Amino acid sequence: MSSSNKDLKIYNSLTYQKETFSTVNNNSVGMYVCGPTVYNTVHLGNCRTFISFDLIYRYLKHLGYKVRYVRNITDVGHLTDDTDEDKISKRAKIEKIEPMEVVQKYTNEFHSILDLFNLLNPSIEPTATGHIIEQIEMIEKIIENGFAYVNNGSVYFDLINFSKKYKYGELSNRCFDEILNESRSLKGSDEKRNPQDFALWKKAEDKHIMKWRSPWGYGFPGWHIECSAMGHKYLGRKFDIHGGGIDLKFPHHDCEIAQSRSVYGENPANFWIHTNMLTLNGKKMSKSLDNSVFPIEIFDGSNQNFTKAFSPMTLKFFMFQAHYRNTLDISNDALLAAEKGFKKIKSLKKDINEITSNKTNDFNVMEWVNDCYQTLNDDFNSPKLIAKLFELHKVVSEIKSSRKNINSKNLILLKKYFKVFYDEILGLNKNSSKNDNQNELLKLVLDLRKKERDKKNFDASDYIRDRLIELGINVSDK
């Protein structure tokens, strides 16, 4: 099977033959997913990425693979426009707190939101600040191999020299001349040999809080090197899956491949998986357009684009109705339809338990089960699996009304495999009623705060806001 950026197919259905993945340890899968930069609240597009990889993680584990799932936390080095100030330091100045307070605040919030979506924890969740030594060591090897240079205490990757031996832009299919033309003159560019070179290590000014000692002086790592260093540390020289949002394909993942080739001479991953964008009412979400959507706004009904609050499981079900590689448009009508559909599928568990078996049988459960596996084996095709669940709803309705029969053997299989697909693989079994109650309680608190603000009782409203922030709930008055 090709290791290029093509559709991933597993093709093994119920036989569970372990032929697709090839890690050093037999029957194991190494998967690295680029996690969040914890300088702000995680937005809905990010959540779609982690929900998609949770499905992949769950399914591979279900097939019997021993999966090591690594998802990092970027808590330093995410440079803004390749300047000497990363996004976390910038946010710390805005909020007037320490950078690591920013990190802790938004890491806690990130975990809380993913928990609402009932996502499994990764096997390892390394942080960039916890692996400075590994990043420095990898940079030293890149310099030693002739693909990076030092200038004024900073280290830059030499793309022209790299391109003499390897192709840059494997995932994005960009030619080197195109990248050169797109390069802009930014702060620090005068230190580079070539404008398209990217920073592996940046010299820190005296006023910079987040800095570490290195062979080149005090500084901090660039954004791209962290994932390369941590991926190789925990998954080895070559691993199976590397993934993230489609916006990371260029330049982040192309830079990662270049860094790994500079050290090991090969692409670090067999498969690169990218989730596509989430749009709002047909338009790309953007902070500049002021149309970004955050999960809590969906759960508490405070976003003006939606007429009501929607539960995390409804939102998750909505996301599964599109393939992870396709653009997905979120709107009020789309969520209302998803809520109606999810309610129908959620009722299946109760309906199946109420079925009485018969001596005759009109429904071969294993044919349906095999079809479900085939959809997942075809690039983890969640919308086709959802369609199979709707098909099952129709069959179960016919059995309940005695228009079809099912024998005891098939009924046992039906109960077993519905739980497998609904609970174990899709992870839709979160207690929605509990979440709904929590959402209503949060809405009540926010309504009380608004009343205090309207009465200009700012001491009380600020107290409510600060207590909510301490609980990991970020309140905006926009």
Side-chain angles (χ1 to χ4, degrees):
M1 180 175 289
S2 170
S3 61
S4 61
N5 186 31
K6 295 182 178 179
D7 296 354
L8 175 65
K9 293 183 182 291
I10 299 181
Y11 290 125
N12 287 320
S13 192
L14 296 174
T15 59
Y16 300 163
Q17 297 174 17
K18 311 302 189 297
E19 297 175 351
T20 301
F21 299 110
S22 56
T23 49
V24 175
N25 298 316
N26 186 35
N27 196 35
S28 66
V29 174
M31 181 170 74
Y32 188 98
V33 175
C34 290
T37 302
V38 283
Y39 73 100
N40 207 338
T41 300
V42 63
H43 60 72
L44 214 53
N46 295 141
C47 292
R48 186 191 183 194
T49 293
F50 304 126
I51 287 170
S52 298
F53 280 100
D54 184 69
L55 170 64
I56 294 171
Y57 182 37
R58 286 171 175 272
Y59 186 54
L60 293 176
K61 287 183 67 172
H62 171 72
L63 291 181
Y65 289 102
K66 182 180 179 182
V67 186
R68 177 175 286 180
Y69 175 17
V70 182
R71 186 186 67 210
N72 71 295
I73 294 288
T74 296
D75 56 356
V76 71
H78 197 147
L79 306 182
T80 304
D81 292 331
D82 206 18
T83 67
D84 59 359
E85 184 174 42
D86 66 42
K87 292 184 176 182
I88 291 164
S89 295
K90 197 171 182 180
R91 172 60 61 173
K93 290 180 181 178
I94 294 171
E95 298 194 16
K96 297 180 181 180
I97 57 178
E98 290 291 321
M100 292 313 291
E101 286 185 86
V102 171
V103 166
Q104 194 65 57
K105 172 184 175 180
Y106 291 110
T107 299
N108 291 345
E109 187 180 76
F110 170 68
H111 290 149
S112 297
I113 290 171
L114 294 198
D115 184 59
L116 290 174
F117 284 116
N118 195 30
L119 304 194
L120 299 178
N121 293 324
S123 312
I124 304 172
E125 192 175 56
T127 63
T129 55
H131 296 77
I132 299 295
I133 292 174
E134 289 83 356
Q135 293 173 75
I136 290 173
E137 288 175 347
M138 190 167 188
I139 293 170
E140 288 179 316
K141 291 177 184 176
I142 295 172
I143 295 172
E144 182 183 331
N145 291 342
F147 298 111
Y149 56 90
V150 183
N151 192 348
N152 192 31
S154 294
V155 184
Y156 295 97
F157 191 91
D158 191 336
L159 268 178
I160 287 182
N161 206 33
F162 175 82
S163 297
K164 293 175 182 177
K165 186 172 182 180
Y166 302 108
K167 173 179 169 54
Y168 177 73
E170 293 181 47
L171 295 180
S172 60
N173 292 319
R174 299 188 182 206
C175 66
F176 190 76
D177 290 339
E178 180 184 353
I179 295 167
L180 180 61
N181 291 333
E182 290 179 354
S183 299
R184 295 174 292 162
S185 179
L186 300 166
K187 185 177 178 180
S189 294
D190 55 341
E191 294 181 351
K192 301 179 182 180
R193 293 177 184 172
N194 320 295
Q196 68 276 20
D197 294 346
F198 58 88
L200 297 173
W201 185 266
K202 287 290 291 183
K203 178 183 178 180
E205 303 296 332
D206 292 339
K207 63 182 180 180
H208 204 99
I209 298 174
M210 302 182 81
K211 56 187 174 184
W212 291 262
R213 181 182 295 174
S214 78
W216 319 287
Y218 279 96
F220 58 97
W223 175 31
H224 311 304
I225 194 66
E226 62 164 300
C227 288
S228 293
M230 291 188 286
H232 289 304
K233 174 171 183 174
Y234 294 110
L235 299 175
R237 174 172 173 169
K238 186 86 169 179
F239 48 93
D240 294 295
I241 297 173
H242 195 319
I246 197 168
D247 57 315
L248 298 181
K249 184 182 288 189
F250 179 85
H252 187 51
H253 288 163
D254 275 329
C255 289
E256 279 195 59
I257 292 175
Q259 291 167 163
S260 294
R261 284 202 184 281
S262 297
V263 176
Y264 299 112
E266 62 179 338
N267 189 319
N270 290 323
F271 299 96
W272 290 83
I273 299 178
H274 295 98
T275 57
N276 216 320
M277 291 187 300
L278 195 66
T279 59
L280 175 65
N281 296 318
K283 296 180 180 179
K284 180 181 177 181
M285 288 188 194
S286 170
K287 290 181 181 177
S288 62
L289 297 174
D290 197 27
N291 71 340
S292 295
V293 177
F294 299 95
I296 197 67
E297 298 175 338
I298 302 282
F299 305 154
D300 66 17
S302 62
N303 190 290
Q304 295 180 353
N305 290 285
F306 306 96
T307 56
K308 55 168 292 191
F310 295 93
S311 72
M313 290 301 100
T314 295
L315 190 55
K316 188 177 183 182
F317 183 81
F318 162 73
M319 292 187 184
F320 281 149
Q321 289 182 298
H323 194 274
Y324 72 83
R325 284 188 292 106
N326 296 334
T327 302
L328 176 61
D329 186 61
I330 187 170
S331 66
N332 189 66
D333 288 345
L335 284 187
L336 287 172
E339 185 177 56
K340 183 178 179 181
F342 179 53
K343 185 177 181 181
K344 184 181 291 187
I345 299 304
K346 191 165 59 172
S347 69
L348 266 173
K349 188 172 185 177
K350 178 175 176 290
D351 291 343
I352 290 171
N353 286 330
E354 292 176 353
I355 288 176
T356 303
S357 62
N358 209 308
K359 291 183 179 180
T360 58
N361 188 71
D362 300 318
F363 179 44
N364 188 327
V365 173
M366 289 312 295
E367 285 186 7
W368 177 83
V369 169
N370 189 61
D371 288 343
C372 289
Y373 278 110
Q374 291 288 2
T375 66
L376 288 168
N377 293 341
D378 183 11
D379 199 8
F380 311 102
N381 200 318
S382 62
K384 285 188 177 180
L385 179 59
I386 296 297
K388 297 304 296 183
L389 291 176
F390 279 118
E391 179 185 299
L392 179 63
H393 182 273
K394 181 181 178 181
V395 172
V396 169
S397 296
E398 291 176 335
I399 294 172
K400 281 191 69 178
S401 62
S402 301
R403 285 176 288 163
K404 280 189 178 181
N405 296 317
I406 188 169
N407 61 23
S408 57
K409 178 183 176 181
N410 276 277
L411 182 55
I412 291 170
L413 289 171
L414 179 58
K415 291 179 179 179
K416 173 185 176 181
Y417 282 102
F418 175 75
K419 182 176 176 61
V420 164
F421 294 117
Y422 183 84
D423 290 6
E424 185 179 337
I425 296 173
L426 293 175
L428 291 169
N429 58 330
K430 188 82 170 180
N431 189 336
S432 296
S433 60
K434 179 181 177 181
N435 290 333
D436 291 341
N437 290 338
Q438 290 174 344
N439 293 337
E440 289 300 318
L441 182 59
L442 178 59
K443 190 174 185 304
L444 173 62
V445 173
L446 292 172
D447 287 344
L448 289 173
R449 179 173 181 268
K450 184 177 184 303
K451 287 182 179 180
E452 294 300 323
R453 281 176 59 82
D454 292 343
K455 291 188 293 185
K456 299 189 182 301
N457 187 359
F458 297 116
D459 288 341
S461 67
D462 289 348
Y463 173 77
I464 296 172
R465 178 201 62 202
D466 294 342
R467 291 290 290 123
L468 287 172
I469 289 173
E470 288 175 13
L471 295 171
I473 300 169
N474 199 31
V475 180
S476 172
D477 292 315
K478 289 203 306 180

